[in-house]
């Protein structure tokens, strides 16, 4: 304490400036950090202890179920019965191993399974190209992923007799293949369509605005299951008799439009967060309204709503399981079918099937969330304050 | 001093009115700004001065009368507005730099998309203007990393990258910390002396006195007095002008 600065009657002039010093140990260092995060006070300390106790109870149990007591090999349900094995049985991974091809391709003909494999490879290459921010020529990556892959996928999967590829009816598609196709098309369609709808909803033209509002509110106002039933049952009634739409395409269109309505509202939130001055400044520079939107407003708006976009995409990915209701054999549906196989009747099998489904969906959704987190941190690093 | 009625004014208002809803914000504006002239517009808040300069590049649409900028008549159509905006630079009170772009990218946007010069030419042009405002060494930074004064100088360089016939300045120093006002005014003074046509809304009366060719005083949406700076400050004629000057000069 400096008596001169504390004394209201005394004039003070500093004689030498104080150099910066490191903080005391109490408020920095690893021990202090652990203390501050886990045991800052009594209530927080108790919560920490409770969580630790729960982990001590849950983690070994999960490990025992998933690994220690799990059955890894076997050709039928017998291998997963406790009375046969002689100890309690956890997960029956032998069942997953036996059915893995069915889970991946459904009833896609065995001889033609190189085609879904090639499709998965092409898709993975495109996704990696887009997600790896340092990749060269990412514009071409987008063209490849959003234009080339869909066309190739259609030719590959549905077949093109002219090219020597046998036609494979969509009724035979199943498992991971259907889940990837449905969610992939949904994502590829929902994002651009959602952006257009969000821009349309803010348009100066009343007709465009009203059409977009009507579209968005209609799709947000009906449950997805209703949409799928409508697409499956009603759509053929509205179309001319000689025009049939594939039973895979019908729910696809429904899901894409449904997701785009949600995406539109997410994007609109971002557009509203951009100050009017940004658009004015862009217009004042001579940019057309379209250029101002594309180069100035949209990039900033989309950056703000990355969490919302990923949230919508995760929801969309999980919603694809509902296509089972209109008879498509998505990943969960084929798991259901596989576990009903009498050859694999054992108490451990249904549990294993659902645990596997949970792990699969969790891995994909958690991956999306983590990637979004990485993107957010990168964008935040680019714009200080 | 350049007479306001030259062969072709850079900006010409005749009988201009504007409304926000039912509020009559600009009333019977007649004003001609000669090429190379510096006109400072001042007046109490709500007097319509910002609205006036925003009608010049069509950010605010006027409801009646004629505005001609560099020979183009603003008729409310997008084509005329685009043509005018390509030749008119604007600097805002709140800078309005694009935070997702670097300083250099802020300044190359108009050359690339509006004037359609190549990337190399746009960069050279932008760096030239950044150098003019003394910030060429910060070209790779983001706006958020700059001080307010630096941001406003970048905004000036960005507007200059259009190579505009007319510069509109909407209270360019009002949002700045006092210690940064000087650096921005120095750049503006340099512009005015260099022959750029400036239409500047400002409360910096020292700047107006030193740099303006004419000072326009507005109140209640109309022009109340126009005078060269010496006459405006030393012998204001209209009672409202006198009242305003006595309020802000103390």
């Amino acid at each position: 304490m400096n008596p001169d600065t504390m004394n209201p009657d005394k004039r003070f002039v500093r004689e030498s400036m104080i150099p910066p010093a490191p903080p005391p140990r109490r408020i920095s260092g690893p021990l202090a950090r652990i203390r501050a995060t886990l045991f800052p006070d009594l209530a927080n300390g108790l919560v920490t202890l409770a969580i630790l106790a729960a982990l001590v109870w849950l983690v070994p149990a999960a490990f025992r179920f998933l690994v220690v007591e799990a059955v890894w090999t076997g050709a039928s349900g017998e291998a997963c019965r406790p009375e046969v094995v002689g100890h309690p049985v956890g997960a029956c991974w032998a069942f997953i191993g036996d059915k893995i091809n069915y889970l991946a391709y459904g009833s896609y003909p065995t001889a033609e399974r190189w085609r879904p494999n090639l499709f998965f490879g092409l898709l993975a290459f495109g996704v990696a190209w887009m997600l790896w921010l340092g990749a060269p020529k990412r514009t071409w990556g987008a063209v490849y992923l959003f234009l080339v892959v869909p066309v190739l996928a259609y030719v590959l999967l549905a077949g093109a007799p002219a090219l020597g590829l046998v036609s494979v009816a969509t009724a035979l598609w199943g498992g991971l293949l259907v889940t990837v196709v449905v969610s992939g098309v949904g994502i590829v369609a929902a994002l651009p369509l959602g952006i257009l709808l969000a821009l349309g909803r803010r348009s100066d033209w009343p007709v465009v605005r009203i059409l977009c509002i009507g579209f968005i509110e209609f799709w947000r106002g009906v449950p997805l299951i209703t949409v799928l039933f409508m697409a499956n049952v009603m759509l053929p009634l509205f179309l001319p008799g000689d025009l049939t739409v594939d039973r895979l395409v019908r729910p696809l269109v429904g899901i894409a439009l449904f997701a785009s309505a949600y995406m539109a509202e997410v994007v609109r939130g971002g557009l509203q967060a951009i100050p009017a001055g940004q658009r004015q400044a862009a217009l004042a520079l001579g940019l057309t309204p379209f250029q101002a939107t594309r180069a100035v407003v949209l990039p900033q708006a989309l950056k703000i709503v990355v969490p919302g976009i990923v949230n919508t995409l995760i929801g969309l990915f999980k919603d694809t399981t509902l296509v089972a209701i209109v008879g498509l054999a998505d990943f969960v549906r084929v798991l259901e079918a596989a576990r009903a196989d009498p050859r694999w009747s054992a108490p451990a099998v249904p549990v294993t099937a659902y645990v596997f489904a949970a792990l699969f969906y969790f891995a994909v959704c958690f991956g999306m969330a983590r990637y979004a987190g990485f993107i957010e941190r990168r964008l935040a690093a680019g714009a200080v304050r | 001093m350049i007479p306001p009625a030259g062969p072709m004014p850079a900006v010409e208002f005749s009988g201009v009115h504007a409304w926000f809803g039912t509020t009559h914000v600009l009333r019977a504006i007649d004003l001609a700004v000669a090429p190379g002239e510096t006109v400072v517009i001042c007046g109490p808040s709500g007097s319509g001065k910002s609205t006036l300069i925003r009608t010049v590049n069509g950010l605010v649409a006027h409801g009646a009368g004629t505005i001609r900028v560099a020979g183009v008549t603003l008729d409310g159509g997008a084509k005329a507005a685009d043509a005018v905006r390509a030749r008119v630079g604007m600097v805002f009170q709140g800078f309005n730099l694009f935070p997702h772009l670097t300083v250099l990218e802020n300044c190359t946007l108009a050359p690339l998309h509006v004037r359609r010069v190549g990337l190399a030419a746009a960069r050279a042009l932008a760096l030239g203007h950044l150098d003019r405002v003394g910030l060429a060494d910060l070209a790779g930074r983001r706006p958020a990393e700059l001080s307010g004064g630096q941001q406003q100088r970048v905004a000036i360089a960005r507007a200059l990258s259009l190579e505009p016939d007319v510069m509109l300045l909407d209270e360019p120093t009002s949002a700045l910390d006092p210690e940064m006002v000087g650096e921005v005014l120095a750049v503006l003074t340099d512009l005015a002396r260099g022959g750029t046509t400036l239409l500047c809304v400002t409360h910096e009366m020292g700047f107006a006195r030193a740099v303006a060719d004419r000072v326009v005083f507005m109140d209640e949406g109309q022009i109340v007095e126009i005078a060269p700076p010496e006459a405006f400050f030393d012998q204001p004629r209209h009672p409202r002008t006198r009242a305003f000057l006595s309020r802000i000069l103390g």
Side-chain angles (χ1 to χ4, degrees):
Chain A
M1 198 190 292
N2 187 330
D4 288 356
T5 57
M6 303 289 285
N7 183 347
D9 299 326
K10 189 149 184 181
R11 191 168 169 210
F12 168 77
V13 180
R14 182 169 292 291
E15 273 155 15
S16 61
M17 305 302 277
I18 303 167
R25 282 195 81 91
R26 211 158 24 79
I27 57 169
S28 76
L31 260 179
R33 204 154 44 235
I34 287 173
R35 209 187 111 92
T37 38
L38 298 183
F39 302 98
D41 55 43
L42 183 66
N44 273 298
L46 287 178
V47 171
T48 303
L49 286 179
I51 292 172
L52 278 178
L55 286 178
V56 166
W57 177 60
L58 280 174
V59 171
F63 186 72
R64 203 164 57 239
F65 177 86
L66 293 174
V67 180
V68 179
E69 291 174 352
V71 175
W72 297 89
T73 51
S76 76
E78 291 299 303
C80 292
R81 290 180 170 279
E83 59 271 25
V84 178
V85 191
H87 64 75
V89 169
C92 181
W93 297 129
F95 157 72
I96 301 292
D98 186 52
K99 298 286 189 186
I100 195 72
N101 279 329
Y102 182 57
L103 299 183
Y105 314 107
S107 308
Y108 209 92
T110 315
E112 304 295 330
R113 281 182 183 167
W114 62 271
R115 283 154 56 177
N117 283 340
L118 183 56
F119 161 67
F120 287 143
L122 292 170
L123 184 69
F125 177 68
V127 169
W129 195 350
M130 283 308 291
L131 296 194
W132 177 33
L133 299 182
K137 307 242 183 280
R138 290 182 70 231
T139 317
W140 286 109
V143 171
Y144 169 79
L145 187 61
F146 291 104
L147 292 175
V148 178
V149 170
V151 172
L152 279 181
Y154 179 79
V155 172
L156 257 181
L157 296 173
L163 299 175
L165 292 170
V166 190
S167 289
V168 178
T170 52
L172 298 176
W173 302 16
L176 181 66
L177 178 60
V178 162
T179 291
V180 167
V181 166
V182 173
S183 52
V185 170
I187 288 169
V188 165
L191 196 52
L193 210 54
I195 291 171
L196 287 180
L197 285 167
L199 292 173
R201 191 166 181 164
R202 290 164 54 87
S203 168
D204 291 332
W205 297 348
V207 177
V208 173
R209 192 166 61 236
I210 289 167
L211 277 177
C212 289
I213 292 176
F215 183 93
I216 292 169
E217 297 305 338
F218 171 78
W219 290 100
R220 285 205 306 170
V222 288
L224 181 54
I225 293 203
T226 318
V227 172
L228 295 177
F229 277 132
M230 288 280 282
N232 221 29
V233 182
M234 305 289 285
L235 195 62
L237 299 181
F238 292 125
L239 293 174
D242 53 340
L243 184 69
T244 57
V245 180
D246 188 273
R247 56 187 277 287
L248 175 67
V249 174
R250 281 178 248 156
L252 258 184
V253 172
I255 282 195
L257 297 181
F258 187 83
S260 68
Y262 279 87
M263 196 60 85
E265 288 299 282
V266 170
V267 173
R268 188 166 70 96
L271 291 174
Q272 275 174 347
I274 306 303
Q278 289 289 309
R279 186 178 180 77
Q280 286 173 5
L283 293 178
L285 278 175
L287 268 58
T288 62
F290 174 77
Q291 289 174 323
T293 301
R294 196 190 57 78
V296 173
V297 179
L298 254 191
Q300 297 184 60
L302 291 180
K303 191 161 121 178
I304 296 175
V305 295
V306 164
I309 290 176
V310 174
N311 196 32
T312 308
L313 294 184
I314 287 176
L316 166 65
F317 179 69
K318 293 191 296 183
D319 280 349
T320 60
T321 52
L322 290 175
V323 298
I325 238 159
V326 288
L328 294 190
D330 82 308
F331 188 73
V332 172
R333 183 76 197 82
V334 295
L335 256 178
E336 274 283 297
R339 78 162 183 82
D341 182 352
R343 192 162 59 88
W344 280 98
S345 76
V349 166
V351 185
T352 305
Y354 296 132
V355 167
F356 185 66
L359 288 176
F360 167 72
Y361 281 95
F362 179 79
V364 175
C365 295
F366 189 64
M368 285 199 244
R370 289 312 299 257
Y371 182 74
F374 160 71
I375 291 287
E376 274 174 60
R377 279 192 299 283
R378 242 189 88 109
L379 291 176
V384 192
R385 265 185 242 168
Chain B
M1 201 179 310
I2 300 140
M8 189 174 73
V11 182
E12 185 179 17
F13 301 86
S14 53
V16 171
H17 293 258
W19 289 265
F20 288 154
T22 55
T23 314
H24 199 175
V25 290
L26 288 183
R27 306 179 198 171
I29 303 291
D30 292 303
L31 180 68
V33 180
E37 198 183 13
T38 296
V39 173
V40 164
I41 303 166
C42 59
S45 69
S47 59
K49 46 196 196 309
S50 282
T51 309
L52 178 69
I53 66 168
R54 278 161 189 257
T55 58
V56 175
N57 62 356
L59 286 186
V60 170
H62 57 289
T66 314
I67 301 177
R68 285 162 62 84
V69 184
V72 180
T73 304
L74 280 164
D75 53 8
K79 212 169 169 187
D82 285 344
V84 166
R85 286 167 184 165
R87 307 177 64 173
V88 176
M90 184 160 190
V91 175
F92 297 83
Q93 181 178 357
F95 325 140
N96 295 0
L97 293 179
F98 306 130
H100 62 302
L101 302 177
T102 63
V103 163
L104 185 65
E105 287 166 342
N106 266 276
C107 297
T108 53
L109 202 60
L112 284 176
H113 290 96
V114 181
R115 305 179 61 210
R116 296 185 185 283
V117 306
L119 184 62
R123 284 202 173 135
L125 194 84
L127 278 172
H129 290 298
L130 283 170
D131 192 43
R132 187 168 178 188
V133 301
L135 291 174
D137 50 333
L138 298 183
R141 301 278 189 89
R142 299 269 173 170
E145 298 173 87
L146 272 51
S147 74
Q150 290 171 331
Q151 289 191 47
Q152 193 60 302
R153 281 148 68 197
V154 171
I156 293 169
R158 178 176 73 175
L160 287 174
S161 70
L162 275 170
E163 311 267 291
D165 296 331
V166 179
M167 283 279 275
L168 307 174
L169 304 148
D170 187 4
E171 304 203 26
T173 58
S174 299
L176 295 175
D177 290 340
E179 61 187 292
M180 295 168 182
V181 169
E183 62 187 73
V184 171
L185 289 182
V187 168
L188 295 181
T189 305
D190 173 56
L191 283 184
R193 302 256 155 88
T196 310
T197 310
L198 296 184
L199 213 56
C200 179
V201 174
T202 185
H203 295 296
E204 294 293 334
M205 291 302 140
F207 171 76
R209 189 187 270 272
V211 178
D213 294 308
R214 285 186 295 161
V215 181
V216 173
F217 175 70
M218 289 184 72
D219 197 9
E220 291 183 21
Q222 47 218 293
I223 294 178
V224 172
E225 187 161 350
I226 303 178
E230 312 82 50
F232 181 83
F233 290 108
D234 299 336
Q235 300 125 27
R237 295 263 173 86
H238 198 283
R240 285 179 189 250
T241 317
R242 281 191 222 127
F244 174 74
L245 286 176
S246 72
R247 270 201 308 278
I248 63 163
L249 299 175

